[in-house]
């Protein structure tokens, strides 16, 4: 009897297989990470995946800050056709460019970020300028108030995802950053998707107490195009599930520089990020971020040299953070958005945090003893 009641309760509580594992990995002291797939030491479920080497010239790879595609280590995962994991293919020093863009440039207007939702527009014009001194001075041990940059949770690019209606729309669009579009085109082409158009981006900013809730990215109108995901800074556990939440997900590590491609069958699978972890080397930053950029960049490179001062700010930020960029093609070639019906959708998504969940002080307005 008690057993039946408990079963009914877990169903009512929505405790499906995905949720159970999400909660398991979200626990701070989840010390049993043996079951987590690590593509840098591939095991049984992992196989080497062939890329489309001839689709990207070495010159274009270099321009995007990437190694020649013939040198990339790409993997598939049994049971997840269309899922491709690329182990950090960035050239030395090049990840730093994307980190700087995500912190200094992309949060700027006309792009949209979570802080715009409850702050006066003039207060979010220069998050970088307002935060850099505070960040640079920050000690590593004692708790200090978060700078504006550390309160950033998400930024949207191109067609701006509306967290409430869960839709993109024709009339909420700003130019997509050309450097990031170029990077995305090369990665998509290497995975067999020539002609990919980077039309929308969601940048997620995580700290050690953040997680990203269980979701499917289905708002794009063309699901035949892949979803690209780039990670920088500290590591995370990523959960890749099935078409239903009752299917138990596979847990895997994502480290700095790693790229994930969700396409075909895997394009519409449930996924989540239950946990952000210190990088496995145990150093403040992973060693791939210590590497300096080559002094001679190729003609047409989208990677730019950045000042030591800028990098110091980024490095400080990344000591306790992870940045993820997900890039999407929204419309098929030649496709247009359907006419608006005039009825505005009502969503339940918490706008402020996107699908982020966290237990940061900033959100709860009270001290939190476990972090
Ligand atoms: C997303 C997403 C995964 C990540 O933004 O839709 O799934 O690793 N991000 O942050
Ligand atoms: Mn997603």
């Amino acid at each position: 009897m008690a057993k039946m009641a408990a079963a009914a309760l877990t169903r009512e509580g929505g405790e499906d297989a995905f949720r159970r594992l999400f909660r398991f990995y979200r626990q701070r002291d989840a010390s049993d990470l043996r079951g987590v797939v690590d593509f840098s030491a591939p095991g049984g479920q992992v196989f080497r995946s062939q890329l489309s080497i001839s689709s990207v010239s070495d010159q274009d790879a270099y321009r995007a800050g990437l190694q020649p595609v013939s040198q990339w280590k790409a993997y598939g995962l049994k049971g997840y056709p269309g899922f491709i994991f690329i182990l950090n293919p960035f050239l030395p020093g090049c990840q730093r460019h994307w980190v700087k863009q995500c912190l200094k440039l992309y949060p700027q207007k006309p792009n949209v970020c979570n802080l715009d939702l409850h702050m006066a527009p003039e207060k979010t014009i220069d998050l970088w300028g307002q935060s850099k001194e505070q960040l640079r001075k920050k000690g590593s041990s004692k708790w200090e108030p978060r700078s504006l940059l550390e309160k950033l949770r998400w930024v949207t690019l191109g067609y701006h995802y509306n967290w409430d209606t869960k839709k993109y729309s024709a009339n909420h669009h700003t130019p997509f950053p050309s450097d990031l579009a170029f990077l995305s085109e090369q990665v998509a082409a290497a995975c067999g998707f020539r002609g990919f158009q980077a039309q929308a981006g969601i940048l997620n900013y995580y700290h050690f107490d953040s997680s990203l809730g269980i979701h499917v990215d289905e708002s794009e109108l063309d699901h035949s195009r892949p979803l690209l995901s780039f990670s920088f800074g500290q590591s995370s556990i990523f959960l890749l599930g099935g078409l239903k939440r009752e299917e138990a997900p596979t847990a895997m590590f994502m480290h700095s520089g790693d790229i994930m491609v969700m396409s075909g069958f895997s394009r519409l699978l449930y996924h989540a990020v239950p946990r952000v972890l210190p990088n496995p080397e145990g150093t403040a930053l992973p060693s791939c971020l210590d590497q300096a950029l080559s002094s001679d960049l190729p003609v047409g490179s989208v990677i730019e040299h950045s000042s030591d001062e800028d990098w110091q700010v980024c490095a400080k930020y990344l000591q306790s953070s992870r940045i993820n960029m997900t890039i999407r093609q929204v419309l098929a070639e030649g496709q247009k958005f359907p006419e608006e019906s005039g009825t505005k959708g009502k969503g339940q998504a918490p706008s402020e945090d996107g699908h982020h969940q966290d237990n940061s002080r900033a959100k709860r307005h009270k001290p939190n003893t476990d972090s």
Side-chain angles (χ1 to χ4, degrees):
M1 187 63 196
K3 218 172 166 184
M4 268 173 65
L9 212 77
T10 52
R11 269 201 307 280
E12 270 171 28
E15 187 73 343
D16 49 67
F18 201 128
R19 179 103 210 122
R20 249 195 315 280
L21 276 160
F22 182 92
R23 291 192 333 128
F24 174 80
Y25 285 113
R26 194 179 51 187
Q27 287 167 16
R28 234 147 232 289
D29 53 2
S31 53
D32 186 7
L33 301 181
R34 279 170 303 178
V36 182
V37 173
D38 191 345
F39 288 92
S40 53
Q45 297 156 272
V46 172
F47 57 91
R48 197 68 189 254
S49 176
Q50 289 307 309
L51 294 170
S52 184
I53 291 170
S54 59
S55 297
V56 181
S57 68
D58 290 357
Q59 194 58 245
D60 279 344
Y62 289 138
R63 288 187 179 117
L66 298 165
Q67 294 171 25
V69 177
S70 56
Q71 291 176 31
W72 297 8
K73 291 197 174 91
Y75 299 94
L77 198 57
K78 275 186 198 144
Y80 299 92
F83 175 78
I84 305 169
F85 191 103
I86 305 164
L87 272 182
N88 176 19
F90 289 93
L91 287 166
C94 293
Q95 286 186 54
R96 291 183 177 191
H97 169 82
W98 303 108
V99 172
K100 193 190 81 178
Q101 300 296 70
C102 287
L103 292 176
K104 189 175 181 181
L105 187 68
Y106 300 155
Q108 290 178 26
K109 304 286 167 289
N111 300 331
V112 181
C113 74
N114 63 302
L115 301 173
D116 296 325
L117 302 179
H118 59 90
M119 286 176 71
E122 67 274 12
K123 297 219 161 124
T124 58
I125 288 173
D126 186 17
L127 302 179
W128 174 269
Q130 285 174 262
S131 309
K132 61 180 186 182
E133 284 315 311
Q134 192 180 340
L135 254 169
R136 276 208 302 188
K137 284 193 212 122
K138 196 176 156 155
S140 50
S141 51
K142 79 174 197 348
W143 183 84
E144 291 171 44
R146 281 183 172 169
S147 59
L148 269 185
L149 213 47
E150 292 166 292
K151 290 180 184 168
L152 191 61
R153 315 307 318 217
W154 54 262
V155 168
T156 54
L157 308 171
Y159 286 111
H160 299 278
Y161 185 67
N162 181 322
W163 301 96
D164 293 325
T165 63
K166 299 191 163 78
K167 281 183 177 156
Y168 300 99
S169 67
N171 56 21
H172 196 193
H173 177 266
T174 58
F176 193 94
S178 59
D179 56 348
L180 186 49
F182 187 76
L183 171 72
S184 304
E185 284 156 20
Q186 309 319 308
V187 171
C191 294
F193 297 94
R194 275 183 143 141
F196 175 83
Q197 295 175 47
Q199 296 172 329
I202 299 180
L203 315 178
N204 284 304
Y205 301 80
Y206 300 82
H207 308 296
F208 285 127
D209 56 3
S210 327
S211 60
L212 182 72
I214 306 165
H215 69 281
V216 176
D217 293 287
E218 58 189 356
S219 304
E220 297 74 24
L221 302 183
D222 181 5
H223 296 149
S224 73
R225 305 267 86 193
L227 193 143
L228 313 179
S229 163
F230 301 86
S231 290
F232 304 109
Q234 301 301 329
S235 301
S236 67
I237 294 176
F238 181 83
L239 295 178
L240 182 63
L243 293 163
K244 298 201 178 93
R245 285 181 54 144
E246 287 69 33
E247 290 174 50
T250 298
M252 59 194 88
F253 290 110
M254 254 195 121
H255 302 302
S256 194
D258 291 344
I259 303 176
M260 267 184 202
V261 178
M262 293 170 75
S263 69
F265 168 81
S266 293
R267 176 66 181 76
L268 295 173
L269 299 182
Y270 277 101
H271 57 279
V273 179
R275 192 155 166 221
V276 175
L277 300 163
N279 81 81
E281 295 163 282
T283 45
L285 287 186
S287 56
C288 57
L289 286 168
D290 288 339
Q291 298 163 329
L293 192 60
S294 150
S295 53
D296 48 320
L297 292 169
V299 178
S301 175
V302 302
I303 303 297
E304 297 157 356
H305 283 284
S306 44
S307 68
D308 289 346
E309 191 196 319
D310 280 355
W311 176 246
Q312 277 171 30
V313 177
C314 294
K316 196 59 165 290
Y317 177 91
L318 283 189
Q319 282 180 16
S320 58
S321 312
R322 165 183 188 255
I323 300 176
N324 177 266
M325 321 190 284
T326 57
I327 314 303
R328 306 116 194 273
Q329 177 167 342
V330 176
L331 300 164
E333 183 82 53
Q335 187 179 18
K336 291 207 166 62
F337 282 100
E339 292 291 326
E340 288 284 324
S341 62
T343 53
K344 271 181 95 188
K346 286 201 185 79
Q348 300 87 38
S351 314
E352 149 71 5
D353 282 332
H355 32 229
H356 266 287
Q357 310 180 337
D358 78 2
N359 45 25
S360 68
R361 292 174 186 83
K363 198 178 166 201
R364 285 175 150 187
H365 304 292
K366 66 174 184 188
N368 194 349
T369 45
D370 67 352
S371 59

